[in-house]
């Protein structure tokens, strides 16, 4: 399957919709994530706080694939409403590191992480690690709306 602008936008919108399930918190962003295989099939989804208050969306989605050792994720895409983190207060491993370790070949995001909690370098670290990174900033306002409890709307 070819990942086109329209396909990416549809899956990224799904990730943003998932982020709405995350309970608003003053200590973390509401983020949604979807992992899609090379054929366009969703393998796993996650959102911030889905199974534990400290779990990030990407972490939650990847955890659902943990028992599937035969999966080749090199052709998979991780759709994340917000740039995957590079530092965390709540856990020792960042989402960026988890994505690199899983071997996911492509990440699509709507908004780079604002520097409210940490300076994030997810886009750079993923790209340096050989991951293709695609940004769809046109969907960034939707992510800001979901996180209005933390972020002022873009002017």
């Amino acid at each position: 399957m070819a990942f086109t602008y329209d396909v990416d936008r549809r899956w990224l919108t799904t990730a943003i919709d998932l982020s709405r399930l995350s309970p608003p918190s003053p200590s973390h962003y509401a983020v949604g994530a979807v992992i899609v295989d090379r054929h366009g099939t969703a393998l796993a989804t996650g959102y911030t706080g889905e199974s534990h208050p400290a779990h990030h969306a990407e972490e939650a989605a990847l955890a659902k694939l943990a028992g599937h050792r035969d999966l080749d994720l090199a052709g998979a895409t991780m759709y994340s409403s917000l740039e995957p983190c590079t530092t965390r207060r709540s856990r020792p491993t960042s989402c960026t590191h988890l994505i690199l370790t899983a071997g996911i070949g492509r990440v699509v995001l709507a908004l780079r992480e604002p520097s409210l909690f940490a300076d994030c370098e997810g886009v750079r670290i993923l790209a340096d690690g050989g991951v293709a990174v695609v940004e769809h900033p046109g969907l960034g306002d939707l992510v800001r709306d979901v996180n209005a409890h933390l972020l002022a709307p873009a002017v």
Side-chain angles (χ1 to χ4, degrees):
M1 164 174 205
F3 287 93
T4 64
Y5 176 84
D6 289 337
V7 170
D8 281 348
R9 190 173 170 85
R10 181 173 58 89
W11 283 116
L12 192 51
T13 300
T14 299
I16 294 167
D17 289 344
L18 282 166
S19 74
R20 298 175 199 286
L21 300 174
S22 180
S25 167
S27 62
H28 63 71
Y29 297 109
V31 179
V34 182
I35 302 171
V36 177
D37 72 11
R38 71 180 73 232
H39 306 293
T41 301
L43 299 174
T45 63
Y47 59 89
T48 306
E50 179 179 359
S51 59
H52 185 279
H55 288 180
H56 289 191
E58 301 91 342
E59 176 183 24
L62 285 166
K64 293 173 185 173
L65 300 179
H68 303 280
R69 304 259 183 237
D70 57 333
L71 280 178
D72 176 11
L73 297 177
T77 298
M78 166 80 75
Y79 292 91
S80 181
S81 58
L82 192 69
E83 178 180 20
C85 70
T86 52
T87 60
R88 294 178 71 167
R89 292 183 208 153
S90 61
R91 314 277 283 178
T93 307
S94 71
C95 291
T96 299
H97 181 76
L98 292 172
I99 291 166
L100 289 168
T101 301
I104 291 178
R106 190 168 177 265
V107 172
V108 178
L109 60 109
L111 183 68
R112 289 197 185 205
E113 182 176 333
S115 60
L116 180 63
F117 300 118
D119 290 331
C120 186
E121 298 184 71
V123 168
R124 182 190 60 79
I125 291 171
L126 289 168
D128 288 351
V131 176
V133 179
V134 178
E135 296 181 60
H136 283 273
L139 295 174
D141 284 343
L142 294 175
V143 178
R144 283 185 197 86
D145 289 346
V146 171
N147 288 284
H149 61 287
L150 298 170
L151 305 174
V155 186

